Amino acid sequence: MEVEAERSIAGDRAAQHRGEHDATLTGREEDIVRALARGATNAEIGEQLYISLSTVKSHVANIQSKLGVRNRVEIAGWAWGTGRMR
């Protein structure tokens, strides 16, 4: 229940920012968002996508900027809230 509430709050916050920021993500950024929303760590994402840890961190920072969110919880909330995880 607590995780669901966090997703809801993060999704609401991300929804507030969608109109203010460029939410057009690259294909690779979409891959990272989906992995992140499933709970993967940066190291796990790197292993799954065959990219370095620093590249994952760069993608996460770019995603945060594009979505106007502060952390990976809000990215995950955005992913679930926009139907990317269905």
Side-chain angles (χ1 to χ4, degrees), residues 30-71:
E30 291 279 355
D31 295 339
I32 301 237
V33 165
R34 283 189 293 276
L36 190 150
R38 286 191 305 270
T41 65
N42 287 348
E44 291 167 340
I45 293 169
E47 289 175 13
Q48 291 169 11
L49 299 178
Y50 304 103
I51 58 178
S52 72
L53 182 59
S54 62
T55 300
V56 174
K57 290 178 180 181
S58 292
H59 282 304
V60 171
N62 290 339
I63 293 163
Q64 285 176 287
S65 178
K66 286 181 177 184
L67 300 181
V69 298
R70 295 180 294 183
N71 55 49

